[in-house]
């Protein structure tokens, strides 16, 4: 298995992984599966500023993906990102999420990101434990903010300090500007 940067050509495979979460869980609060065009645009837009990584087998089968996105779109938040990971349902290879997050964090460190944030639907113990394993801590709970499948859901926020904050901070480096060898 290897981890590499996602491309637009991966959109169909990534969307097939994501679609199951949209249709069958409250892990994502989307109601309908995005179109392939919308999903392709999301990948392209993400890659301008942040890493979007895929895990694939030697024969090219994609098993999961992880990416970072803006916490908020204001300059003062450049050093804080929201992290996301999705793994194929019943994935035949163990540890895909771990490998994806390790690779994601390595790239984010090169971008001078300081804070990692995870937004998790309350009750998703698997995701909470996964993030705790990576050093994330619970920092907040928003109550009844998501409505899906005819019920209200709370959202847990978890945070990890990736690198110690400095004054002034090192400049944030958009993913598209990183040297290809260091991605």
């Amino acid at each position: 298995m290897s981890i590499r940067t996602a491309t637009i050509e991966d959109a169909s495979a990534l969307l097939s992984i994501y679609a199951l979460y949209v249709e069958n869980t409250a892990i994502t609060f989307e109601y309908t599966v995005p179109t392939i065009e919308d999903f392709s645009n999301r990948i392209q837009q993400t890659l301008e500023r942040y890493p979007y990584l895929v895990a694939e087998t030697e024969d090219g089968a994609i098993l999961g993906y992880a990416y970072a996105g803006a916490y908020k779109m204001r300059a003062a938040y450049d050093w804080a990102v929201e992290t996301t990971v999705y793994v194929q349902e019943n994935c035949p290879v163990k540890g895909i999420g771990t490998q994806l997050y390790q690779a994601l964090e390595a790239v984010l460190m090169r971008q001078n990101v300081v804070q990692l944030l995870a937004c998790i639907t309350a009750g998703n113990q698997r995701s909470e434990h996964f993030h705790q394993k990576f050093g994330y801590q619970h920092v907040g709970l928003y109550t009844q903010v998501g409505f899906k499948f005819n019920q209200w859901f709370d959202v847990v926020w978890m945070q990890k300090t990736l690198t110690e904050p400095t004054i002034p901070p090192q400049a944030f480096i958009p993913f598209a500007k990183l040297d290809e060898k260091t991605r």
Side-chain angles (χ1 to χ4, degrees):
M1 198 213 52
S2 64
I3 304 226
R4 62 169 174 78
T5 300
T7 66
I8 300 304
E9 290 75 29
D10 296 321
S12 179
L14 301 182
L15 185 56
S16 70
I17 292 170
Y18 184 62
L20 294 172
Y21 289 94
V22 172
E23 294 170 337
N24 302 308
T25 77
I27 289 172
T28 174
F29 286 165
E30 287 201 69
Y31 283 8
T32 58
V33 176
T35 67
I36 191 73
E37 182 180 347
D38 286 341
F39 208 78
S40 297
N41 288 337
R42 290 180 189 186
I43 294 169
Q44 185 174 12
Q45 289 172 355
T46 298
L47 286 170
E48 291 172 14
R49 285 186 57 87
Y50 304 105
Y52 203 124
L53 307 175
V54 298
E56 68 180 352
T57 62
E58 288 181 14
D59 65 354
I62 293 178
L63 303 175
Y65 63 98
Y67 62 92
Y71 168 65
K72 297 270 188 181
M73 291 303 296
R74 301 283 189 269
Y77 293 114
D78 276 354
W79 299 271
V81 300
E82 186 176 345
T83 57
T84 301
V85 63
Y86 286 99
V87 176
Q88 180 185 76
E89 189 176 58
N90 302 315
C91 184
V93 179
K94 297 292 181 206
I96 298 297
T98 296
Q99 291 180 54
L100 281 164
Y101 254 34
Q102 287 170 339
L104 186 67
E105 285 188 6
V107 175
L108 292 169
M109 285 186 77
R110 289 191 295 275
Q111 292 184 266
N112 298 321
V113 168
V114 175
Q115 300 293 343
L116 307 179
L117 304 160
C119 178
I120 302 167
T121 305
N124 184 348
Q125 294 300 314
R126 187 173 175 192
S127 184
E128 287 186 51
H129 290 306
F130 174 81
H131 284 86
Q132 285 172 334
K133 178 177 85 170
F134 271 90
Y136 286 72
Q137 298 178 347
H138 286 90
V139 293
L141 174 71
Y142 296 163
T143 58
Q144 298 180 340
V145 295
F147 186 80
K148 188 172 180 181
F149 301 136
N150 207 33
Q151 75 179 79
W152 286 101
F153 290 92
D154 297 344
V155 169
V156 171
W157 277 94
M158 298 182 75
Q159 179 176 352
K160 175 182 179 175
T161 299
L162 184 62
T163 59
E164 284 304 311
T166 60
I167 299 175
Q170 294 184 20
F172 171 79
I173 302 168
F175 183 75
K177 299 210 187 247
L178 283 180
D179 182 304
E180 225 172 280
K181 294 177 200 168
T182 63
R183 286 188 193 172

